[in-house]
Amino acid sequence: MAASTGDTYRPKGYWVPHVVIAVGILITAFPLWVAFVASTLTLGQISQAPMQLWPGDQFWVVWKDVLEVGGGGGGRIITAPVSTMMWNSFVMAMVIAVGKIVISLMSAYAIVFFRVPFRTFFFWMIFVTLMLPVEVRIIPTLQVVSDLGMLNSFAGLTVPLIASATATFMFRQFFMTIPDELVEAAKIDGAGPVRFFFDIVLPLSRTTIAALFVILFIYGWNQYLWPLLVTTNQNLDTVVIGLAKQIDTAGGVTEWNKVMATALLALLPPMLVVILMQRWFVKGLVETEK
Amino acid sequence: MAEVRLNGVRKVYAGGVEAVKGVSFTVPDKTFCVLVGPSGCGKSTLLRLVAGLETITSGDVLIGDDRVNDKDPSDRDIAMVFQNYALYPHMSVYENMAYGLKNRGTSKADIDKRVKEAAKILAIEGFLNRKPRQLSGGQRQRVAMGRAIVRQPKAFLFDEPLSNLDAKLRVQMRVEIRKLQRNLGVTSIYVTHDQLEAMTLGDMLVVMNGGVIEQIGSPLEVYADPASTFVATFIGSPPMNVFPVSVDGAGILSLADGTRVGATSDHKGDLLLGLRPENLTIDDLPGATFVATGRVALMEPLGAETLAYITLGTSGPEIIVRLQGHATQPPGTPVTVRAAASAIHRFDAKTGRKV
Ligand SMILES: Nc1ncnc2c1ncn2[C@@H]1O[C@H](COP(=O)(O)OP(=O)(O)OP(=O)(O)O)[C@@H](O)[C@H]1O
Ligand SMILES: [Mg+2]
């Protein structure tokens, strides 16, 4: 054997996993690259087959247009500017995520730590709604929202989506791992229900909250069916709705470069949330701080 | 500082389990009271009734002159140390100790003073900024103690606070708890199922079994004069030898196989005889009252002493005799076991109570 060179030990065929990973990345990233390239080309360039795979010179033109003016089919502007839509989506996703977390934190707290009459019944009621897909109750919900005059408003967009069986269930599971003695120690230390919630339960739930926030933010951001039903006002379009609107199915011309720019923009916030919260997210899913 | 008094306290859990069946005793001011008994006998329940963590089904709990039955735990002016410490995981040691005071509206300066004082007493000054998970078991135990003493409560309640520690640390903490309680002079109730802890810690021992009190007394009283076979076999290690004997018309006691044991009794009916292993000998004992022949079954040398397992008479019972130093008689060696009159405990065979 030659003298050790200080190299790390490399088993035979160590490059195989690397190649697999590289191929995986290419496969995943390729559509994104195509989308990006398309957003920098003119419509004419896009319609040539095969489409070129290196960026054109239209980046600023297309992206600025999309962000400030909006898009549509055949040159008609039928959506709000993407910047407005992004804001709408952001507000909607935030309100839904934060609202869901607040509501389910409180309901799980009530279910786990208080002897409410019928609490098992309530829990199962909540649990059963887990099994109902949103679509099943979407028409009755729409009726209610419409009766309450909440169509075409942020309230109508967000409130019906805030109740969350999944998040309640997750918090319940987490709360049940908090040892009884901790609750009792807090009682002896003079912490009433409100203090106990803010001083003990909330700080202990931080990682769970972070993990749920990521999931719920993306859930809210990606909503399509509900905003489609509740809003007709262009200024309330979310970016997902706007994206769909831009793809003209009525025989007009679809401005694919704008569509691609919009799609990439729509991708950014959820991605940022995941990247920024990644550490917390993983922590929340795998460990509990106890 | 206050005495703690229980008057006919009963606890029936929602499921119908009667965990505490009418218990009365008084722990005088500044006294260290140890509640001891086998698993499931209701010790923790009793402690939690005093703490206010469970509702009392009937009877009264008084702390000082206050009837506290309907008071919240935080208004009873007690502090509790739990078996798993129950430290707040997200708070530093300092915050853990300060939390109860903060909730009571104690001033910042006062909190700081008290926490630092307690930390000094417990030698945890170096850890005040650490989180509980960065501490060893023994250190966590100290923090839990610290959380109790900063409150300067009327009474300390301990529920098996040492059972999560290793044997060596347990002995060390046991001594420390005892010293601490002496110095602070706070009335304490300490729950344990470890009879060694019970013997060494308590000024006062309350032996429980099946939700009722078997005996109350100082550890040495309970040891020397057990009120029932349960107490006799529960306190002391190795436990007291208890075996049945019959009493004939003349009051002479004999084993099941007819072997006479020397001792007499005027009790009507069968008896259980109790003899502590340390009070027995296989050597000569002038004036011995209990004299019975038997054979060595096994010798267990422990270093400073030897435990001899001896089959009395021809067919038993097997008893343990604690011998000083080494003894190496092979199994089967005939021996005569003796004990003085004062070492013989007699219990009624039916009730198990002392006669
Ligand atoms: N919350 C409860 N609901 C119903 N029964 C209970 C409850 N807590 C305890 N018990 C029952 O009450 C009895 C006494 O329990 P307790 O916890 O006081 O025992 P313990 O003496 O502390 O035992 P250990 O030494 O094992 O801790 C047991 O039979 C137990 O099953
Ligand atoms: Mg217990």
Side-chain angles (χ1 to χ4, degrees), chain B residues 13 17 19 38-45 160 193:
Chain B
Y13 279 111
V17 182
S39 186
C41 72
K43 314 178 289 287
S44 298
T45 305
E160 311 206 17
H193 61 249

Tab-separated table of all heavy atoms in Angstrom, chain B residues 13 17 19 38-45 160 193, ligand 1:
chain	number	residue	atom	x	y	z
B	13	TYR	N	-61.303	7.765	42.847
B	13	TYR	CA	-61.104	8.276	41.492
B	13	TYR	C	-62.357	8.083	40.656
B	13	TYR	O	-63.223	7.264	40.999
B	13	TYR	CB	-59.931	7.570	40.814
B	13	TYR	CG	-58.588	8.137	41.206
B	13	TYR	CD1	-57.699	7.411	41.990
B	13	TYR	CD2	-58.218	9.408	40.793
B	13	TYR	CE1	-56.475	7.936	42.351
B	13	TYR	CE2	-56.987	9.932	41.147
B	13	TYR	CZ	-56.126	9.205	41.916
B	13	TYR	OH	-54.909	9.735	42.264
B	17	VAL	N	-62.032	3.661	41.696
B	17	VAL	CA	-60.937	3.160	42.527
B	17	VAL	C	-60.837	3.991	43.794
B	17	VAL	O	-60.726	5.216	43.725
B	17	VAL	CB	-59.587	3.251	41.780
B	17	VAL	CG1	-58.465	2.687	42.641
B	17	VAL	CG2	-59.669	2.540	40.456
B	19	ALA	N	-58.514	5.024	46.213
B	19	ALA	CA	-57.057	4.970	46.359
B	19	ALA	C	-56.624	5.291	47.776
B	19	ALA	O	-55.620	4.775	48.257
B	19	ALA	CB	-56.392	5.928	45.376
B	38	PRO	N	-45.853	0.031	49.472
B	38	PRO	CA	-45.584	-0.607	48.188
B	38	PRO	C	-46.255	0.151	47.046
B	38	PRO	O	-47.090	1.024	47.274
B	38	PRO	CB	-46.203	-1.993	48.354
B	38	PRO	CG	-47.250	-1.814	49.380
B	38	PRO	CD	-46.788	-0.734	50.294
B	39	SER	N	-45.891	-0.189	45.835
B	39	SER	CA	-46.451	0.471	44.664
B	39	SER	C	-47.971	0.332	44.639
B	39	SER	O	-48.505	-0.733	44.919
B	39	SER	CB	-45.848	-0.161	43.413
B	39	SER	OG	-46.259	0.547	42.290
B	40	GLY	N	-48.639	1.435	44.330
B	40	GLY	CA	-50.087	1.402	44.211
B	40	GLY	C	-50.843	1.526	45.516
B	40	GLY	O	-52.060	1.382	45.545
B	41	CYS	N	-50.145	1.832	46.610
B	41	CYS	CA	-50.834	1.887	47.892
B	41	CYS	C	-51.489	3.246	48.146
B	41	CYS	O	-52.148	3.448	49.146
B	41	CYS	CB	-49.882	1.559	49.029
B	41	CYS	SG	-48.688	2.868	49.339
B	42	GLY	N	-51.283	4.182	47.234
B	42	GLY	CA	-51.962	5.476	47.373
B	42	GLY	C	-51.099	6.588	47.935
B	42	GLY	O	-51.613	7.635	48.305
B	43	LYS	N	-49.793	6.388	47.973
B	43	LYS	CA	-48.906	7.431	48.504
B	43	LYS	C	-48.956	8.695	47.659
B	43	LYS	O	-49.165	9.786	48.171
B	43	LYS	CB	-47.443	6.954	48.517
B	43	LYS	CG	-47.189	5.587	49.048
B	43	LYS	CD	-45.713	5.236	48.961
B	43	LYS	CE	-45.227	4.999	47.540
B	43	LYS	NZ	-45.673	3.743	46.950
B	44	SER	N	-48.762	8.509	46.370
B	44	SER	CA	-48.752	9.685	45.499
B	44	SER	C	-50.099	10.384	45.553
B	44	SER	O	-50.171	11.607	45.573
B	44	SER	CB	-48.457	9.288	44.056
B	44	SER	OG	-47.204	8.703	43.964
B	45	THR	N	-51.152	9.585	45.548
B	45	THR	CA	-52.487	10.168	45.602
B	45	THR	C	-52.625	11.044	46.836
B	45	THR	O	-53.098	12.183	46.755
B	45	THR	CB	-53.542	9.051	45.618
B	45	THR	OG1	-53.333	8.219	44.491
B	45	THR	CG2	-54.936	9.627	45.585
B	160	GLU	N	-41.133	10.764	45.348
B	160	GLU	CA	-40.011	9.938	44.889
B	160	GLU	C	-38.983	10.744	44.105
B	160	GLU	O	-38.666	10.403	42.969
B	160	GLU	CB	-40.530	8.797	44.019
B	160	GLU	CG	-41.681	8.073	44.682
B	160	GLU	CD	-41.805	6.638	44.227
B	160	GLU	OE1	-40.828	6.118	43.666
B	160	GLU	OE2	-42.854	6.040	44.462
B	193	HIS	N	-40.942	4.501	47.973
B	193	HIS	CA	-41.227	3.102	48.263
B	193	HIS	C	-39.948	2.394	48.707
B	193	HIS	O	-39.913	1.195	48.882
B	193	HIS	CB	-41.891	2.402	47.071
B	193	HIS	CG	-41.032	2.406	45.843
B	193	HIS	ND1	-41.347	3.149	44.738
B	193	HIS	CD2	-39.884	1.791	45.568
B	193	HIS	CE1	-40.414	2.992	43.832
B	193	HIS	NE2	-39.508	2.165	44.306
C	1	LIG	N1	-55.956	9.295	37.819
C	1	LIG	C1	-56.319	8.105	38.311
C	1	LIG	N2	-57.505	7.554	37.999
C	1	LIG	C2	-57.885	6.366	38.519
C	1	LIG	N3	-57.130	5.629	39.347
C	1	LIG	C3	-55.933	6.111	39.717
C	1	LIG	C4	-55.460	7.375	39.215
C	1	LIG	N4	-54.244	7.604	39.747
C	1	LIG	C5	-53.956	6.543	40.525
C	1	LIG	N5	-54.967	5.650	40.525
C	1	LIG	C6	-55.028	4.396	41.272
C	1	LIG	O1	-54.948	4.700	42.653
C	1	LIG	C7	-54.117	3.776	43.321
C	1	LIG	C8	-53.000	4.493	44.052
C	1	LIG	O2	-52.163	5.119	43.109
C	1	LIG	P1	-50.907	5.985	43.539
C	1	LIG	O3	-50.367	6.632	42.322
C	1	LIG	O4	-51.286	6.880	44.660
C	1	LIG	O5	-49.907	4.863	44.039
C	1	LIG	P2	-48.456	5.007	44.654
C	1	LIG	O6	-48.535	4.536	46.041
C	1	LIG	O7	-47.913	6.366	44.433
C	1	LIG	O8	-47.635	3.957	43.817
C	1	LIG	P3	-46.145	4.072	43.183
C	1	LIG	O9	-45.191	3.732	44.261
C	1	LIG	O10	-46.164	3.025	42.128
C	1	LIG	O11	-45.975	5.458	42.650
C	1	LIG	C9	-53.622	2.802	42.273
C	1	LIG	O12	-54.416	1.652	42.362
C	1	LIG	C10	-53.855	3.509	40.973
C	1	LIG	O13	-54.154	2.595	39.963
